[in-house]
Structure formats: structure tokens, C-alpha cells
Amino acid sequence: MQSQLKDYHILAFAVLLLFAFLSFKSVGLYPSVQGDEYVHSINAKWADLSESNFQEFLYYKVYNVTKHFGSESLNAARLMNAFFFALAIPFVYYTARTVCDRKGAAIVTFAAIAGPIHTYTAYFMPESFYYLFFWM
């Protein structure tokens, strides 16, 4: 019981640390994949959701909140991406715990979040959102 409680504290700290790192790393950057980011930004804010498939509907519905941030909507989306990506940490860890010990699961979790996939948090694109739901 004590080690499980310790795991929760470590995972919560890891989520907060990763969120802070990704937020500082990506907020304030200029758009870099302009075509895709523009399409997702417009669709998240103004698309007719009845015409989208389920995955896009959910993404656009959640990211619709970015239209309330005006010129900072790209930074709001980046913060949301960092948040969703960081929330995947416990799911990666507990999935790895089904086949590894604590140390092995921590290594798998670190490898899963430290890889190049975390760069998608800097784009107004659904990869970080889908990453969380994949691990869930």
C-alpha cells in the first residue's frame, strides 16, 4: 500500500514536471506546420461538427474553447496539448506495470514520453490528444 501511494506521488510530480517543461518549450513559438495547424484551428473553432467523424468531433469539441482566447488561441492549444500529453504518463506507467517491475515500468514510461512524439505538443494538431486516449 505504501509503495502504491509513493507511485501516485511520483506520477503526479512527473505529470506536473512534464506539463511545465512542454509549456515553457512550446508557448510563444510561431506556427510551424502552418497548413495543418490552420485547418485544425479553423475546424476546432468554426466547423460544423455534424459533418466530422467521431475522433475529429471529440477533438474539435474539446479544442473549441480556444476560440475564446483570440490571438492567443495557438498558445492555448499548445497548453492543452501539453496537459493531455502529460496526463498520459500514469496510463503508460500502469500499462507497463502489467509486464514489468516498478523500475522497468519507469524506464518504459520515460522512453514513451522522451521520444520525438512530445514535439507534437507544439502544434495545433490532434496528436497529443489522441496519444492520451491511445494509452487510456
Side-chain angles (χ1 to χ4, degrees):
M1 182 66 170
Q2 184 69 16
S3 68
Q4 190 176 18
L5 188 60
K6 184 178 177 183
D7 284 352
Y8 291 137
H9 287 106
I10 292 170
L11 288 173
F13 180 71
V15 167
L16 291 173
L17 189 65
L18 182 64
F19 174 71
F21 169 74
L22 293 174
S23 297
F24 288 120
K25 180 180 160 244
S26 62
V27 170
L29 297 176
Y30 291 111
S32 53
V33 188
Q34 291 186 356
D36 290 338
E37 287 182 291
Y38 179 74
V39 167
H40 288 296
S41 175
I42 294 298
N43 287 337
K45 296 173 190 171
W46 312 113
D48 182 14
L49 297 178
S50 64
E51 295 177 7
S52 62
N53 62 34
F54 179 73
Q55 292 88 358
E56 289 176 343
F57 173 81
L58 187 57
Y59 171 74
Y60 292 150
K61 191 70 172 169
V62 170
Y63 280 72
N64 184 267
V65 72
T66 60
K67 73 180 175 184
H68 300 291
F69 289 89
S71 64
E72 292 297 314
S73 65
L74 179 58
N75 286 328
R78 287 175 174 162
L79 288 173
M80 291 173 71
N81 284 342
F83 176 72
F84 290 130
F85 189 82
L87 275 182
I89 289 175
F91 296 104
V92 175
Y93 178 78
Y94 285 116
T95 301
R97 281 288 286 145
T98 61
V99 293
C100 300
D101 62 349
R102 291 176 67 208
K103 185 177 180 181
I107 291 169
V108 168
T109 303
F110 180 76
I113 64 169
I117 193 161
H118 76 274
T119 59
Y120 284 107
T121 60
Y123 308 133
F124 199 131
M125 293 169 60
E127 280 77 7
S128 298
F129 187 69
Y130 294 161
Y131 186 76
L132 168 64
F133 284 97
F134 168 79
W135 284 105
M136 286 174 70

